[in-house]
Amino acid sequence: MPATPTGSTVPRRQLGRHLRRLRTDARMTVIGAAKALEWSETKIWRIETGQTSLRSHDVELMCHVYGARRDLKAALMGLAKETKQKGWWHAYGDVIPDSFDLFIGLEEAAETLEEYSPELIPGLLQTPDYYRALLDRNRPGLRDEEVELKAQLRVKRQILITRTVAPPTLRAVLNEAVVRRAVGGAEVMVPQLHRLAELNELPHVALRVLPFSVGAHQGFDTGSFKLMRFLTTGEGHGHEPPTVYVQGFTGALYLDKANEIDRYADAFAAIWDDALPEDESSSLFRRAAREMDGR
């Protein structure tokens, strides 16, 4: 019987997903890949479904056979080193291209997204001007063309919640400080706040504001996080286990152990219950916009 893989399943799943994409882009079948690598078809299948850890040497060999670009090979080899970790950080910003984002892969596959944001408008809800204002403040060394490319990629990512076919259910709680903080000034923030109110009208989107009046709350302990859940099989098992994403200053932490998921799920439920209902939150978005606009 094959050994049960240890460590977080997240890097294994992501590594397998990208290796499968490389193989199909190279127009190679599993049989063809197994022959070229001198491995069994079962081994290829286990790798692509995230059921086994990999040595970076094996990833390097697969990338060579599939004709992967150098930057992708470096990213995948770095990811392979994380497949045995209990919880893992990815901090490969210098080698992972924008099109290869591990978080985006999970986000796009999720059936439900639950997020608490104490400081900023979540990425899926940001207007391009809000995102540009963040980049201008926090990454002033970026060239104009880099800023525009990143803004375009952000807009492309947001199609996820406005698509007509099977969009994920999104529930997000924003601290009131997020609503009151005039990122980019009124000319940026007013349209952003109206955008939040508009999105809150979508049937699969529910946005709430955690008001200052609540006082102490569970979010003090958790900080910002996103809980992603995935489609289930007919037996009620998830195609992929739920995953918590925590963005840090130097990288991102992914958690997928049952006790970790339960603690964050309980925390989100408490934060959600403390927040204003959706209709009151939308009213607050519009009122804050009027106040910033001087009306």
Side-chain angles (χ1 to χ4, degrees):
M1 179 180 295
T4 301
T6 59
S8 173
T9 67
V10 178
R12 293 198 304 271
R13 287 182 279 135
Q14 294 301 294
L15 183 57
R17 178 180 289 117
H18 287 288
L19 288 171
R20 181 170 63 248
R21 183 184 301 169
L22 282 174
R23 176 180 60 76
T24 56
D25 287 348
R27 300 186 181 278
M28 295 185 70
T29 63
V30 171
I31 295 174
K35 183 177 180 180
L37 292 162
E38 297 184 351
W39 294 347
S40 68
E41 295 172 35
T42 300
K43 180 174 180 177
I44 301 293
W45 178 79
R46 285 178 58 78
I47 289 171
E48 292 187 356
T49 53
Q51 297 186 42
T52 186
S53 301
L54 276 177
R55 298 177 302 169
S56 58
H57 172 74
D58 291 334
V59 173
E60 183 178 25
L61 180 59
M62 296 177 79
C63 287
H64 175 72
V65 169
Y66 298 157
R69 301 191 315 270
R70 182 178 300 178
D71 56 354
L72 283 179
K73 181 174 74 171
L76 290 172
M77 289 176 67
L79 183 55
K81 295 176 182 178
E82 303 294 337
T83 59
K84 296 180 181 178
Q85 302 301 315
K86 293 181 179 180
W88 68 285
W89 291 82
H90 80 73
Y92 302 108
D94 293 337
V95 294
I96 297 182
D98 287 324
S99 59
F100 181 92
D101 190 296
L102 307 177
F103 168 68
I104 288 177
L106 283 174
E107 191 178 62
E108 290 182 345
E111 182 180 31
T112 63
L113 303 165
E114 295 180 331
E115 180 167 8
Y116 171 60
S117 184
E119 296 292 338
L120 298 171
I121 306 292
L124 285 176
L125 308 176
Q126 293 173 1
T127 64
D129 284 342
Y130 184 95
Y131 183 54
R132 291 188 189 98
L134 292 177
L135 292 177
D136 183 60
R137 176 63 179 82
N138 296 330
R139 301 186 65 182
L142 286 178
R143 299 190 306 271
D144 290 345
E145 56 268 29
E146 290 180 292
V147 171
E148 285 310 305
L149 176 60
K150 288 181 176 295
Q152 290 170 19
L153 289 172
R154 180 60 56 95
V155 171
K156 183 177 180 181
R157 172 184 161 203
Q158 293 173 347
I159 294 174
L160 176 70
I161 58 169
T162 56
R163 69 191 184 195
T164 56
V165 179
T169 297
L170 171 63
R171 298 202 303 164
V173 179
L174 313 182
N175 192 292
E176 186 173 350
V178 176
V179 178
R180 300 296 186 182
R181 183 174 292 112
V183 173
E187 64 272 21
V188 170
M189 204 61 196
V190 169
Q192 174 67 81
L193 290 168
H194 284 302
R195 173 65 172 162
L196 293 177
E198 292 167 2
L199 290 171
N200 219 4
E201 296 176 0
L202 296 175
H204 56 282
V205 174
L207 308 179
R208 291 189 173 188
V209 175
L210 187 65
F212 294 140
S213 59
V214 166
H217 57 85
Q218 187 72 65
F220 286 171
D221 293 329
T222 66
S224 175
F225 69 91
K226 178 175 283 190
L227 172 57
M228 296 174 278
R229 299 183 187 274
F230 304 90
L231 289 170
T232 56
T233 63
E235 293 77 30
H237 302 295
H239 288 290
E240 297 191 26
T243 301
V244 170
Y245 172 85
V246 181
Q247 178 66 53
F249 187 55
T250 60
L253 178 63
Y254 294 80
L255 305 169
D256 61 357
K257 299 297 183 290
N259 65 316
E260 296 167 337
I261 299 302
D262 288 345
R263 289 195 66 182
Y264 274 95
D266 290 345
F268 183 81
I271 294 169
W272 182 260
D273 288 343
D274 280 340
L276 298 173
E278 290 90 307
D279 57 345
E280 293 182 33
S281 296
S282 289
S283 295
L284 178 55
F285 295 147
R286 296 188 180 96
R287 184 167 69 252
R290 290 194 300 271
E291 291 171 359
M292 287 188 188
D293 205 21
R295 298 178 184 177

